[in-house]
Each structure stands twice: as C-alpha cells, then as structure tokens.
C-alpha cells in the first residue's frame, strides 16, 4: 500500500508541477504585462522617443536657420557699413562735414553712437571692422556693424532682422511644431498597432496555456496564437507546448501505473477481507477486519482517482428534483444532520456521481469538523457546513490534494482522497465545487474560523460538453 501511496502522491506532485508551471506562465502572461496595457506602454515608449527626436531635430533646424539668417544679416550690415564709409569719405571731401542726417543712403548710420555695445567698441578701438549681434528686450536680435575712421571716430550701423526673415523663422517654427506633433501621433498609432498585435498574441497564448493547465489535452498554444509572423511569442508557445506534452506523458504514465497497481491489489485485498471474516470472533479479528476494510476502501479510492484523472469518465444524465434527492440521501446517511431546502429545483445530472460528491462532503465534515452539520439546498446550489476549525489554508488556496489530510487544527485522519474524488466527480458533472471558512463578520484572517463550508454549484444546463449522455428517467422511490 505504501507503493500505491508513493505512486499516487508522485502523480499528484507531477500534476501539481504541471499546474504550477503552467499557472505561473499564465500569471506572467496574463497579469501585469497584459492587463496594464502592453500596447499602450509600447505606444507611449514610441511616442516618447519620437517626441524626443522631433524636439531635438526641431531645435537643431531652428538654431541652424537662425544662425544662417543672422550670418546673412551680419554680412549685409558689413557691406552697408563699408558703403557708408566710402560715401562718408565722399561727403567729407565735398562738404567738409560729418552731418549725414539728411542723406537717405545713411539711414541708421551714426558716428560715435553712444549705444554702441562695449564688445564691439573694443574691437573697433583695436582698428578692426567688426559686426556684433545683441539680444534686444523684445526678443528680436540687434545687428551692429562698425568701422574705425581715420580721425579716431567710429562709424556704426544699427539694424535688426527684416520682417521677411522674422516671418520665415516663425513659419519654420510653426512647421517644426506641426511636424513634431505629427511624428508623435504617428508613433503612437504605430505603437498601438504593433503593441496590439503582440498583446493579442500573448493574450491568446495565455488563454490557451490556461486551458492546458485546466486539463484540456488537445489544446496547443502555438496553434492558438496563429499568425504569419514568427517572433518570440512562437518560441514561447512551442516551449509551453513541449513542457505540457512532456509533463502530460509522464503524468499519464504514472496514472496508468497507479491504476494498474490498484486494480491488481483488489483481488488480494478482497481475499484478505474474506479470510479475515472467517477468523473466530474477538478483538484481534475486529482489528484485522477494520484494517482490511480500510485497505479495500483505499484501493477503491485510488482506483477512482486514477479513473477521474484519466478524463474518460462520463456522466449518465437524468432529471431529478434536487431538494428531494438530497434530503433522502442525507436522512439515510445521518438523521442528525440538519437539512433545509430553501428553493426546490429540477436539475439534469448524474444521481450516482452527485450522491458520491454529497457523501464525501458529509464524511469530510463528520471526520474533520464538529456538529451540527448543516446541508442547505437553494436552487441548483448545495451547501454543506460544519462548525469545526475550518479548512486548512493550503486547501483554500490550491484546492483538494490527494494524501494531504489538512493542517494540525483538524483531526488528520483519512488519506485526503475524499475531497479529491468529490472535486473530480463535480468536474465530470460540469459543476463547480468551492471551499471557504466561516468567520465572524469583519474579523481578520488570523481569527479562528467558526466552521467550514463546501458549496456545489450545479450547471444550469446539462453538462454535454463533458461527454455526458442522457439516460432513462430515474424511477420513483417508495
């Protein structure tokens, strides 16, 4: 029997590893990366890079254009100051005067202008003809040109950028702003498109991997994501498929070994039980019979778990009145159990498997909980509650597991197969079996539970998707 325990426990470990690895992969695919919007993150990244590039290029183009215009303006001012210098020489020869106020050719030209920038005056005092650009309070640059005269005076020209140059620079800035906005919007649209395709493929891969983790053996992640493009998501899909296939093959091999061993042990265990019944009455005989019956129950449970895990079980569907059905079984099981039918409902299910689930839940409540045990039927929902210390936290987090009987709070008797079989039979019925603990309203998690509640949710429609098939109506019970 230890051999069966080790094989079944090992098989449970493989299943746990399979579910754990696939669930971890699904979590990595389905949580933060996808649910926080991969497409929007990629779009924001592309838009940010595009905006930085657009701003950098705009600054470079703007500065280059401004420098070019200022160079042209300085060259023009230099040419004008040379012309003014020659004209001044002609005027001095003709009129012997420095009065240029009435000559149109010398607009903005002054001699010894008091507003001449100090940097430009220093260059002129050194005997050089020079130009200078100064920032004016209005933001428009001032263009200065100056040249020393032979008599120690300074001839200077003060102008600014022409309106045409200013308009061209403003138009250029406007075009750069519009172009930058277009680049950002185009980059965002491209990011949404690329991110949407990648996000869609990852979502399909996550959904397919989740289906594999739930036991759908015919699902392939690579086929689920589809598409023509071959990228890293294809590598991920192939890796998940290969991992699932390898673990599934190992799981199936161990399941077959466990089922074969349990099946082969049925005959000797039955013979042992028969031989024990032939022993003379007495305490030793009772002990042998008790252990032989426990061994037979364990072999039958292990064999049933192996069949349920093989995904070959099918429900034989019949129409029953759920409240009446449950009340009859509970009364036959233990009259002390409190039974209540809140709302009667007709359901299509397998009575034998439903009875197996119900009896296992009642046995678990009787073994690990404390009375009173309450059973409530409301529509298609069956609730079984005890008033014990509650389910262990690992069962609430991971679900039933074979050969794990619970925490130290509970009695620890049994092999941990009852709830595993109940969950497997519920899966065949297309039902959902959940577990929770009852705590005082508003009490924190560390407060001890006041009972355990197992809830069986029967499907609204017949579970034909599990391969089940209808049978003749259930005969009425006397």
């Amino acid at each position: 029997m230890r051999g069966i325990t080790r094989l079944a426990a090992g098989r449970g470990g493989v299943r746990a590893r399979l579910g754990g690895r696939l669930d971890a992969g699904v979590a990595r695919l389905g949580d933060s990366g996808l649910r926080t919007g991969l497409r929007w993150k990629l779009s924001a990244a592309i838009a940010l890079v595009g905006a930085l590039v657009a701003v950098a290029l705009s600054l470079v183009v703007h500065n280059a254009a401004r420098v070019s215009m200022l160079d042209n303006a300085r060259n023009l001012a230099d040419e004008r100051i040379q012309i003014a210098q020659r004209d001044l020489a002609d005027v001095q020869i003709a009129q012997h005067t420095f009065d240029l106020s009435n000559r149109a050719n010398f607009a903005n030209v002054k001699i010894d202008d008091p507003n001449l920038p100090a940097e430009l005056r220093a260059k002129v005092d050194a005997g050089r003809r020079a130009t200078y650009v100064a920032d004016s309070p209005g933001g428009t640059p001032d263009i200065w040109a100056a040249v020393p005269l032979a008599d120690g005076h300074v001839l200077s020209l003060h102008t600014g950028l022409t309106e045409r140059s200013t308009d061209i620079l403003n138009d250029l800035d406007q075009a750069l702003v519009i172009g930058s906005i277009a680049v950002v919007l185009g980059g965002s649209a491209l990011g949404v498109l690329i991110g949407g395709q990648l996000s869609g493929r990852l979502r399909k891969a996550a959904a397919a991997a989740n289906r594999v983790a739930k036991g759908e053996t015919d699902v392939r992640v690579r086929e689920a994501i589809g598409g023509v493009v071959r990228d890293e998501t294809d590598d991920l899909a192939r890796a998940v498929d290969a991992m699932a296939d390898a673990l599934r093959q190992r799981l199936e091999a161990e399941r077959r070994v466990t089922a074969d061993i349990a099946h082969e042990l049925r005959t000797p265990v039955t013979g042992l039980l028969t031989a024990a019944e032939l022993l003379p009455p007495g305490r030793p005989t009772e002990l042998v019979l008790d252990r032989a019956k426990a061994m037979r129950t364990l072999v039958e449970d292990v064999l049933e778990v192996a069949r349920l895990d093989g995904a070959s079980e099918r429900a034989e569907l019949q129409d029953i009145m759920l409240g009446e059905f449950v009340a009859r079984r509970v009364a036959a099981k233990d009259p002390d159990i409190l039974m209540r039918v809140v709302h009667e409902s007709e359901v299509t299910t397998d009575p034998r498997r439903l009875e197996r689930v119900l009896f296992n839940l009642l046995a678990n409540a009787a073994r690990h909980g404390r009375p009173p045990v309450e059973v409530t039927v409301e529509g298609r929902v069956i609730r079984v509650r005890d008033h014990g210390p509650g389910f262990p936290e690992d069962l609430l987090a991971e679900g039933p597991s074979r050969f794990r009987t619970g925490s130290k709070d509970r009695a620890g008797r049994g092999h941990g197969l009852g709830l595993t079989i109940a969950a497997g039979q519920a899966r065949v019925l297309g039902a959902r079996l959940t577990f929770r603990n009852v705590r005082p309203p508003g009490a924190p998690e560390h407060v001890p539970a006041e009972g355990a509640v197992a809830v069986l949710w029967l499907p609204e429609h017949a579970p034909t998707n599990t391969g089940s098939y209808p049978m003749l109506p259930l005969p009425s019970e006397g």
Side-chain angles (χ1 to χ4, degrees):
M1 296 309 297
R2 286 196 298 268
I4 294 179
T5 302
R6 285 196 299 269
L7 284 171
R11 184 180 173 281
V14 173
R15 174 175 288 274
R17 290 193 296 273
L18 172 60
R21 293 182 185 181
L22 291 178
D23 288 342
V26 172
R28 286 192 295 269
L29 292 174
D31 286 344
S32 59
L34 293 177
R35 294 184 180 178
T36 54
L38 178 61
R39 68 171 63 186
W40 303 115
K41 288 182 178 179
L42 186 58
S43 174
I46 294 178
L48 179 61
V49 173
L52 293 176
V53 172
V55 169
L57 290 178
S58 298
L59 292 177
V60 170
V61 172
H62 173 83
N63 290 332
R66 187 174 184 273
V67 169
S68 178
M69 290 182 179
L70 290 177
D71 288 343
N72 292 333
R74 294 175 69 172
N75 293 334
L76 181 60
D78 185 59
E79 294 176 357
R80 288 180 175 178
I81 198 65
Q82 294 182 57
I83 295 174
Q85 184 182 15
R86 290 194 299 269
D87 290 347
L88 179 60
D90 295 340
V91 169
Q92 288 177 326
I93 294 174
Q95 301 181 1
H96 301 282
T97 178
F98 286 153
D99 185 10
L100 305 177
S101 58
N102 295 324
R103 298 185 62 86
N105 289 341
F106 295 96
N108 299 326
V109 175
K110 294 182 180 180
I111 297 177
D112 296 332
D113 190 342
N115 295 323
L116 189 68
E119 295 85 350
L120 181 59
R121 179 174 294 276
K123 294 180 179 180
V124 174
D125 291 342
R128 297 167 52 189
R129 188 182 73 251
T131 59
Y132 183 78
V133 177
D135 293 329
S136 65
T140 303
D142 290 334
I143 311 299
W144 290 86
V147 61
L149 298 178
D151 51 6
H153 295 279
V154 176
L155 181 66
S156 62
L157 171 66
H158 179 204
T159 61
L161 286 178
T162 63
E163 292 184 1
R164 177 176 176 79
S165 298
T166 304
D167 292 341
I168 291 175
L169 194 59
N170 292 335
D171 292 342
L172 177 62
D173 291 341
Q174 184 177 4
L176 291 175
V177 170
I178 295 175
S180 300
I181 295 175
V183 169
V184 172
L185 294 179
S188 300
L190 181 61
V192 170
L193 178 62
I194 297 176
Q197 292 179 348
L198 180 59
S199 175
R201 288 168 64 85
L202 290 176
R203 288 182 186 275
K204 291 178 181 178
N210 192 34
R211 292 171 59 191
V212 173
K214 291 180 179 179
E216 298 186 27
T217 58
D218 57 340
V219 177
R220 290 295 178 270
V221 179
R222 177 64 192 85
E223 296 177 359
I225 63 176
V228 179
V229 179
R230 297 293 179 263
D231 52 19
E232 287 78 3
T233 56
D234 293 89
D235 298 335
L236 171 64
R238 291 191 182 93
V240 173
D241 288 340
M243 179 187 68
D245 289 339
L247 293 177
R248 191 180 298 111
Q249 291 172 4
R250 181 176 177 182
L251 187 65
E252 180 61 22
E254 295 194 4
R255 185 196 68 81
R256 287 197 300 267
V257 171
T258 303
D260 291 343
I261 292 177
H263 186 271
E264 292 300 326
L265 283 176
R266 294 178 69 181
T267 301
V269 169
T270 302
L272 177 62
L273 183 60
T274 302
E277 292 175 348
L278 298 177
L279 294 175
R283 182 58 181 168
T285 300
E286 292 178 0
L287 293 175
V288 172
L289 280 174
D290 180 69
R291 292 300 87 197
K293 290 179 181 178
M295 186 179 299
R296 182 179 63 180
T297 300
L298 175 59
V299 171
E300 295 293 340
D301 287 348
V302 170
L303 191 59
E304 184 173 359
V305 169
R307 286 197 302 265
L308 290 172
D309 287 341
S312 59
E313 294 290 286
R314 299 292 182 266
E316 300 176 0
L317 303 177
Q318 299 181 17
D319 294 332
I320 62 173
M321 301 303 295
L322 185 61
E324 178 185 357
F325 177 87
V326 173
R328 288 177 179 271
R329 269 60 183 180
V330 170
K333 180 71 174 177
D334 186 355
D336 294 333
I337 296 176
L338 302 180
M339 178 67 208
R340 187 163 64 102
V341 179
V342 178
H343 176 66
E344 181 65 279
S345 177
E346 182 178 7
V347 298
T348 302
T349 188
D350 187 330
R352 180 180 64 83
R353 297 182 187 277
L354 178 59
E355 182 180 277
R356 178 68 161 151
V357 175
L358 178 62
F359 282 178
N360 281 19
L361 295 179
L362 293 176
N364 182 79
R367 181 180 295 114
H368 300 295
R370 287 193 295 266
V373 177
E374 303 174 0
V375 178
T376 305
V377 177
E378 184 174 359
R380 300 175 179 275
V381 180
I382 303 174
R383 292 180 176 86
V384 178
R385 178 188 175 179
D386 63 56
H387 289 75
F391 292 114
E393 295 301 325
D394 54 354
L395 186 145
L396 296 177
E398 304 173 11
S401 177
R402 56 187 61 81
F403 298 104
R404 186 174 61 189
T405 57
S407 65
K408 298 179 181 179
D409 297 332
R410 297 168 77 83
R413 299 182 298 273
H415 303 287
L417 297 178
L419 294 183
T420 303
I421 293 174
Q425 295 289 8
R427 186 169 57 252
V428 176
L429 295 176
R432 183 164 58 97
L433 183 60
T434 61
F435 306 93
R436 65 180 179 88
N437 290 333
V438 179
R439 286 187 172 85
E445 292 295 327
H446 66 272
V447 174
E450 297 180 344
V453 181
V455 185
L456 180 67
W457 311 73
L458 292 174
E460 183 176 358
H461 303 287
T464 54
N465 60 329
T466 64
S468 305
Y469 50 91
M471 296 292 290
L472 294 176
L474 184 69
S476 59
E477 304 182 22

